[in-house]
Amino acid sequence: MTTPVDMLHQPYWLTMGPMIVVAATGFVVMILEFIFRKGDRRWLTVLSMLGVIAALVVAIVHWSAKPAFVLNTIGVDPFASVFSVLILLSSFLVLLFTLDWSAKSRVAAEHTYLILFAVVGALAMATATDLVTLYVGLELLSVASYVLVAVRTHSIHSVEGGIKYMLMGALGSAVLLYGMSFIYGISGSTNLMQLSSMGTQMFASYPSITVLGFLLMLMGMGFKLSLVPFHMWTPDAYAGAPTPITSFLATLSKAASFAMLLRMLIFIFNGPGAHLFYWAGIIAAVTMIVGNFIALPQRNMKRLLAFSSVAQAGYILVPFALFGVAQAQDWTGLFDSISFYLFAYTFMTVGAFAIVYLVERDKGSLDSDALIGLYQRSPWLAVALTIFVLSLAGMPLTAGFLGKFYIFVDTLHFSTMWLGIVLFATSVVSFFYYIGWLRKVFQKEPVGEVTALTASPVMHTLVALCVLGTLALGIVPAVLLHPLLGLTWLY
């Protein structure tokens, strides 16, 4: 039992350093927001970005630190470090996005510290080793996200998207908690370390309840990850939310949810429950097919990217299914594939949403026809959007291609070629709607004088960072793969 004296010697900073920095920044920004309620308060966003950079430095310093755990609930290991860096990188890009958005839109100033508190929840989901802590982190991220989607209270679409997201999110949380309660009921523990050694006993004594717990937990996380058939909230929430928040939902929220799902499945169900991972493969296949085919007729750019994100979640779920057939010594390759794709997905998705935001602001429309003549109005943004959508589709020399390639090779290596075929075929389908965008981008304006599309230096910086990340991971993948090689992901 941990005594009060032992608690004083817990490695709090090592395990919770990034969370402490981001949480402290969030409280400082919240207090300052109450004090300075008038005038331009974008400096609060800059302050938030500095806090995230400080947390990112702490996470990178601890990248290969010796695993440590505090109070048996929060830990630092390579798994936590990699996902913490990914979450903080995503949050920096989103905050940079909001810096421009808040200057040109009527928006509640609370969004800045709400994003920071959501990041704290996301970091908890990446580092927690206890079901209760994981769930608390998930709820902190979710509640902040519901408010952020509906933050434009003067917009009926924003409020509608926020309400739908909250209702479906609450249903997903209830289903997840119900599944966790079954696991706790038959094991008497919520600690993942203890549960990992009780898998055989749980399956031997309560096989049906254990399987039911697995399915409920997978379904609950399916709501959070927009997996089919739990994706119904996605198009309305994505279309109604302010575009920087949409990019937040599509990248940061998904990365944290995948980290939480992966840690739960590996610790609780792998081994005696390996055959259950086949269900993840089925959901991945259905998600890839439905997401891509529903995206085909979409004319609203944000709704198309919403269904594209559904399909992308299916791609990322494929390696999850392979854990059921892989030996422990082969897990490193699967972890590498998942993390590489999530890093690539973050750059290309935030970049695509940034340009959609600029086009919407320029033309006052989210219809894909607003892309017509983009190359004439801004050649740089047109080329950048081309790179992002080709990467999302899986064109060679982009990060998205290599991400899909690594996952495809994994399906061949573990003799699950049917999943690789579905991945390849649905990626081909995605070319049709992305090429439709590019045709309009390079199409000339039908009539009238061409007006240049202008963007702030902040947005140019954001787009340039995303282009750099997308091309660097596509042409020189070693910049990420080299630090990942040799990591012992879980202890």
Side-chain angles (χ1 to χ4, degrees):
M1 178 180 290
T2 304
T3 65
V5 175
D6 294 333
M7 290 176 64
L8 292 175
H9 294 87
Q10 297 285 330
Y12 293 105
W13 178 252
L14 178 63
T15 54
M16 298 192 294
M19 262 191 293
I20 293 172
V21 173
V22 177
T25 307
F27 281 113
V28 169
V29 170
M30 183 173 65
I31 294 170
L32 292 175
E33 194 277 330
F34 281 122
I35 296 174
F36 301 98
R37 300 194 66 83
K38 295 182 179 179
D40 187 355
R41 287 174 289 178
R42 282 183 296 158
W43 58 276
L44 293 175
T45 306
V46 175
L47 179 62
S48 303
M49 291 167 60
L50 293 176
V52 168
I53 291 173
L56 186 59
V57 171
V58 174
I60 292 174
V61 167
H62 293 158
W63 177 276
S64 54
K66 185 179 179 182
F69 300 91
V70 58
L71 303 176
N72 293 323
T73 57
I74 297 285
V76 61
D77 53 19
F79 180 94
S81 297
V82 171
F83 276 95
S84 294
V85 169
L86 173 61
I87 289 166
L88 291 167
L89 177 65
S90 304
S91 61
F92 175 79
L93 294 175
V94 170
L95 284 169
L96 190 60
F97 202 161
T98 62
L99 187 62
D100 181 87
W101 167 62
S102 58
K104 298 180 171 58
S105 306
R106 185 160 60 93
V107 59
E110 290 83 359
H111 74 275
T112 307
Y113 61 79
L114 283 174
I115 290 175
L116 291 176
F117 291 142
V119 173
V120 174
L123 290 172
M125 292 164 68
T127 56
T129 56
D130 188 276
L131 289 179
V132 175
T133 314
L134 283 169
Y135 186 77
V136 170
L138 175 67
E139 286 305 291
L140 182 56
L141 170 64
S142 299
V143 171
S145 300
Y146 303 149
V147 180
L148 286 168
V149 171
V151 73
R152 293 185 303 178
T153 52
H154 58 280
S155 168
I156 185 66
H157 299 296
S158 181
V159 175
E160 178 189 359
I163 292 174
K164 286 184 178 178
Y165 184 30
M166 183 185 68
L167 292 176
M168 298 306 295
L171 179 59
S173 296
V175 172
L176 173 66
L177 195 58
Y178 200 39
M180 287 180 173
S181 70
F182 280 117
I183 299 302
Y184 174 71
I186 60 177
S187 67
S189 174
T190 58
N191 184 273
L192 293 180
M193 303 294 186
Q194 295 176 8
L195 288 170
S196 66
S197 61
M198 300 171 69
T200 303
Q201 180 185 346
M202 286 194 298
F203 276 95
S205 304
Y206 307 98
S208 300
I209 295 178
T210 307
V211 171
L212 183 59
F214 171 89
L215 293 176
L216 289 173
M217 291 169 71
L218 183 60
M219 289 167 59
M221 293 306 297
F223 282 96
K224 308 296 182 183
L225 291 166
S226 304
L227 302 176
V228 177
F230 316 108
H231 66 291
M232 298 77 77
W233 60 272
T234 310
D236 291 327
Y238 276 40
T243 308
I245 303 305
T246 309
S247 67
F248 166 88
L249 296 177
T251 56
L252 189 151
S253 180
K254 266 196 170 63
S257 298
F258 272 120
M260 176 175 169
L261 176 64
L262 188 54
R263 202 181 272 274
M264 289 193 304
L265 296 188
I266 292 296
F267 273 89
I268 303 175
F269 299 104
N270 198 47
H275 61 286
L276 297 176
F277 285 61
Y278 190 76
W279 285 98
I282 293 175
I283 293 177
V286 174
T287 301
M288 288 186 282
I289 294 169
V290 173
N292 277 302
F293 276 97
I294 295 183
L296 276 173
Q298 300 298 324
R299 291 186 61 85
N300 182 297
M301 291 183 285
K302 287 175 73 174
R303 293 182 77 87
L304 186 147
L305 287 176
F307 286 111
S308 170
S309 80
V310 171
Q312 300 285 338
Y315 302 145
I316 301 168
L317 192 64
V318 169
F320 284 63
L322 304 182
F323 277 100
V325 293
Q327 299 297 317
Q329 61 268 25
D330 298 320
W331 287 3
T332 298
L334 296 176
F335 281 123
D336 290 348
S337 297
I338 293 170
S339 56
F340 185 92
Y341 200 93
L342 283 171
F343 271 97
Y345 175 70
T346 295
F347 286 117
M348 56 195 182
T349 301
V350 174
F353 274 114
I355 296 181
V356 166
Y357 160 78
L358 291 172
V359 171
E360 179 196 8
R361 203 178 64 194
D362 182 51
K363 290 290 186 179
S365 171
L366 277 170
D367 192 284
S368 58
D369 283 347
L371 293 170
I372 294 176
L374 178 61
Y375 183 75
Q376 293 174 280
R377 305 199 301 274
S378 176
W380 151 241
L381 293 178
V383 172
L385 181 61
T386 302
I387 292 170
F388 296 140
V389 298
L390 289 180
S391 184
L392 285 166
M395 181 65 78
L397 298 180
T398 63
F401 168 77
L402 280 183
K404 289 180 181 177
F405 177 75
Y406 292 143
I407 295 174
F408 181 77
V409 171
D410 287 337
T411 63
L412 298 181
H413 182 69
F414 296 109
S415 304
T416 50
M417 187 179 290
W418 69 275
L419 267 176
I421 293 173
V422 174
L423 187 154
F424 177 79
T426 52
S427 296
V428 172
V429 172
S430 71
F431 270 93
F432 285 93
Y433 53 82
Y434 286 130
I435 293 298
W437 272 24
L438 297 186
R439 183 174 54 80
K440 294 179 179 179
V441 165
F442 292 97
Q443 184 179 335
K444 290 186 178 180
E445 291 269 18
V447 291
E449 184 179 349
V450 175
T451 305
L453 191 162
T454 58
S456 67
V458 169
M459 290 306 294
H460 281 301
T461 303
L462 175 64
V463 172
L465 287 175
C466 293
V467 168
L468 180 64
T470 304
L471 291 180
L473 292 182
I475 299 172
V476 195
V479 296
L480 177 60
L481 289 178
H482 183 72
L484 293 177
L485 287 176
L487 290 178
T488 303
W489 282 81
L490 293 175
Y491 286 83

